[in-house]
Each structure stands twice: as structure tokens, then as C-alpha cells.
Amino acid sequence: MSTCIQGLGLAVPKHFINQAEAAHYALASCVASDKQRQLATRLYLRSGVESRHSVLLNSSTNGETAAQSYYEPSTETQPFGPTTAERMQTYRSEAEKLAIEAAGKALLASGVEPAAITHVVTVSCSGFDAPGVDVSLITELGLKQQVARTHVGFMGCHGAMNGLRVAKAYANADPNVQVLLVAVELCSLHYQYEWTNERMVSNSLFADGAAAVVVSNAEQSKSLWSIGESLAEIVPESRDAMTWRIGDHGFEMTLSPAVPQLIKQELRPRLEAWLSQGDLSLDQIAGWAVHPGGPRILQACSEALSLPDSALAASFDVLRRFGNMSSPTVLFVLHELEQQITGPTVALGFGPGLAIEGCLLYR
């Protein structure tokens, strides 16, 4: 029995900001040395991002300067911005809106009625709330109250791959199952005032967004993508290369400059071994939906796999237009590839661990 993605929906907040203005706000709010301030604008403009969406913006870069009032300049009494509790209150009020919009689009694209959904799988690493997004999806979209719920939490940028693995398992177990998978992240809630080099990079990349797919048995439905085997690898002795931890003023990310080199060293042999289990080789892969964690991450993948520049064009384009939205981002890339690719496609993401997660898809 095979499973497939029937419909895909995307959602981003209404307002967006370009990188030059984002750098301006960063300089206004952050606790940084003079040297870091001098480097800030250059770093933001070299991030590969041109614009990003955020639930915290009051207006967009659109002939006038984008406006926000959430992150006030650092003061003696509030040197590091809103507390984690305050940020989670915003997550509670805003995450469900994006999730509902993306899920509604996915259901419409799939042709599946909301009442036919039997399972909901939610993915998020940027907030915690219960009852949360899953319950909001049921009540707002008209799903059955008996829907089975599973949450994939705090796994990072590769979370959508974990969610697809769960959705596939449900669909394989019963041909009558219809799974709604929704990944939603509000990464802009975790802007850090106290800058280290790693936090400067994170502040320049992360954004907000949501993506949803409907997954079911391929024999009874139309198919955008058939879902094949998954890859799950932890790179030994790389536990501190990427971390995601809860602090007093938001969640704190560390991203070692060693990550691109680890990808160059570790990615190719692991992918080749995985693909060989299905009698595939790297040169038989028609499409690459690589999570755009940043330009150096994408460049490391390209070098490790000896890919032509065109292979990761969709990933670079999503990074440029939306930034790194964590878990939903790879589904944005997959949406870009829908009309471009026929043949085996590899979806790929990286996260704390250092974890390498992948999924093989077919069109």
C-alpha cells in the first residue's frame, strides 16, 4: 500500500519586512558591541534573505518603512526584551491563525471534506500551548471531535519530515485514514537582544509561516506526491553543533560554524547508503527539496552532493522570499517543485542532534 500527499497549503503573516529595515530594527533594540553593530547590516544583507514575514509587524515594507512595536530598544529595566511567558502568550493568539489558513488551503486543494479527516498531526518547535493548535484546527475547520491528534514538538527545522513519517504510518495502517498534517512556526518570537555571532545569524534568518498537507492512501485519491522511505540519522559527536533551548527571554538557538563542514563530510555517504536500499543513486534523483537553513547550509549540500546550481534553485528562492521559517519551510520548497519535477525527489532537513532527516517522494 502506498501513501500520497493529496493537497498542499501555505500561509504567511500579512506583513513583511526587507532585510535593510530588519537590520535597522536590530541595531535599535540589541545589546551589542560597536564591532557587532558595524557588522550587522553587512551580515543581514549577506543572509540570502530579501524579505521575511512576521506576526509582530504592524505594516510592511511597501513604499514606506515596515513598523513594529513588539521589540522595544533595550533598557536597564528590560535589557533583553519580552519574557518567554509574554512571547508564548503571543504564540497562543497567533499560531492558530496561520495553521488554520494553511490547513484550509490544503483541504481545498485535496478535495477532501473536513469531516473526512481522521487524524491530525501538528508540528511546531517555536511555541507551547494546550489546548493548542490541534484543537483549534478541529473546532475552526469543522473536523470531527473524534479526530486522533499527534503533536511533533521541539524537533527543529526538520520537523515536517518527522510529521510526514507519522502521517504515512497512519495512512499505511488503514486505507480509510485521511491525515491532516500542519507545521506552523513563529520564529520571530525568539529574537535575541544579547548578540553573539551565532545569535546574529539566527536573528537575520528566521521568520514566520505555516504549511499543511493532506496525506492518505494513494489508491483512493489523486496524488501530488507519493511518499516513499524516510531517512533518520544522528551525526556522532555533534551534539553541540546545533541546539534549541528555552531561555528566560525566548528560545535560544546555537549554530556552530562547523555545521556546513559537518554536512560536507557526512551527508553524501549517508544519502548514498539510504538511496541504495531502494536501488537508487544520487544521479537518479530528479529533484531536491532541501530546507534552506541559510546560504552556507545550502552551499554545503550542493558541494557534498556535487549538484549543479539549478538543483537547489527552489530552496534559494524560498530563502530569499520568506527566510527560514523552520519546520514548514521544506514544504514551501516542495510547493515550488510541484510543476518543475517528474521523478524521484529528496526532501531534506537538518536539526539539533546534529540530525539529518529526509523523505523520498515521487511524481
Side-chain angles (χ1 to χ4, degrees):
M1 184 183 297
S2 62
T3 53
C4 72
I5 293 174
Q6 287 183 257
L8 194 157
L10 309 176
V12 292
K14 176 181 178 182
H15 293 302
F16 61 89
I17 187 169
N18 70 24
Q19 281 296 77
E21 291 181 9
H24 169 77
Y25 278 116
L27 290 172
S29 64
C30 71
V31 178
S33 68
D34 289 341
K35 182 178 180 180
Q36 286 172 325
R37 287 177 177 274
Q38 293 170 10
L39 290 172
T41 300
R42 189 162 66 234
L43 184 148
Y44 269 63
L45 296 180
R46 287 166 49 192
S47 65
V49 180
E50 289 185 6
S51 64
R52 293 179 282 170
H53 293 74
S54 170
V55 298
L56 305 178
L57 291 167
N58 302 321
S59 65
S60 299
T61 302
N62 193 10
E64 296 184 0
T65 302
Q68 69 88 30
S69 55
Y70 194 82
Y71 292 119
E72 298 291 344
S74 176
T75 65
E76 287 188 12
T77 56
Q78 195 178 41
F80 303 124
T83 65
T84 299
E86 291 168 331
R87 300 182 199 221
M88 289 301 94
Q89 184 174 352
T90 304
Y91 179 91
R92 187 178 310 122
S93 64
E94 298 294 334
E96 66 177 34
K97 298 175 186 176
L98 283 181
I100 290 166
E101 181 182 348
K105 290 178 178 178
L107 287 166
L108 184 62
S110 70
V112 174
E113 293 296 324
I117 295 296
T118 58
H119 293 67
V120 167
V121 178
T122 49
V123 180
S124 189
C125 69
S126 54
F128 297 99
D129 183 38
V133 167
D134 50 357
V135 173
S136 297
L137 291 168
I138 292 170
T139 56
E140 297 300 322
L141 293 175
L143 308 186
K144 292 183 296 188
Q145 298 295 311
Q146 297 77 25
V147 164
R149 297 172 293 137
T150 302
H151 182 61
V152 177
F154 214 63
M155 295 203 76
C157 292
H158 58 68
M161 256 73 74
N162 303 88
L164 279 173
R165 187 181 301 126
V166 173
K168 179 187 176 185
Y170 285 140
N172 275 350
D174 185 341
N176 298 312
V177 160
Q178 300 271 13
V179 185
L180 176 63
L181 164 64
V182 184
V184 58
E185 305 287 8
L186 304 186
C187 300
S188 67
L189 290 180
H190 302 295
Y191 178 85
Q192 296 296 305
Y193 279 40
E194 185 177 21
W195 278 9
T196 63
N197 287 341
E198 294 170 339
R199 288 177 182 174
M200 288 172 68
V201 171
S202 296
N203 286 347
S204 73
L205 288 170
F206 282 98
D208 304 346
V213 295
V214 176
V215 175
S216 64
N217 182 281
E219 295 178 4
Q220 62 177 17
S221 61
K222 68 176 185 179
S223 173
L224 288 177
W225 300 88
S226 294
I227 304 173
E229 295 305 309
S230 61
L231 167 73
E233 296 264 1
I234 299 293
V235 177
E237 300 181 9
S238 65
R239 192 180 183 92
D240 294 328
M242 189 186 299
T243 66
W244 185 229
R245 294 182 174 133
I246 299 172
D248 292 335
H249 296 272
F251 301 170
E252 300 171 359
M253 166 159 254
T254 62
L255 182 64
S256 167
V259 169
Q261 187 59 36
L262 282 170
I263 291 172
K264 290 179 188 178
Q265 293 172 354
E266 301 286 342
L267 183 58
R268 188 183 190 104
R270 294 168 188 273
L271 276 186
E272 287 179 329
W274 171 55
L275 291 173
S276 69
Q277 297 172 14
D279 296 323
L280 287 171
S281 60
L282 287 174
D283 59 9
Q284 291 176 293
I285 300 304
W288 294 93
V290 178
H291 170 76
R296 292 186 64 207
I297 299 293
L298 291 176
Q299 188 61 38
C301 291
S302 180
E303 292 179 17
L305 303 174
S306 302
L307 298 176
D309 291 343
S310 60
L312 299 184
S315 294
F316 277 106
D317 187 54
V318 168
L319 179 66
R320 178 181 62 82
R321 294 190 292 134
F322 299 105
N324 181 348
M325 299 167 285
S326 193
S327 65
T329 318
V330 73
L331 297 176
F332 277 67
V333 179
L334 208 59
H335 177 70
E336 292 263 314
L337 295 176
E338 275 181 20
Q339 305 305 319
Q340 302 177 24
I341 300 299
T342 300
T345 293
V346 170
L348 195 63
F350 308 92
L354 178 70
I356 303 172
E357 298 275 354
C359 181
L360 193 57
L361 300 146
Y362 298 89
R363 281 183 62 79

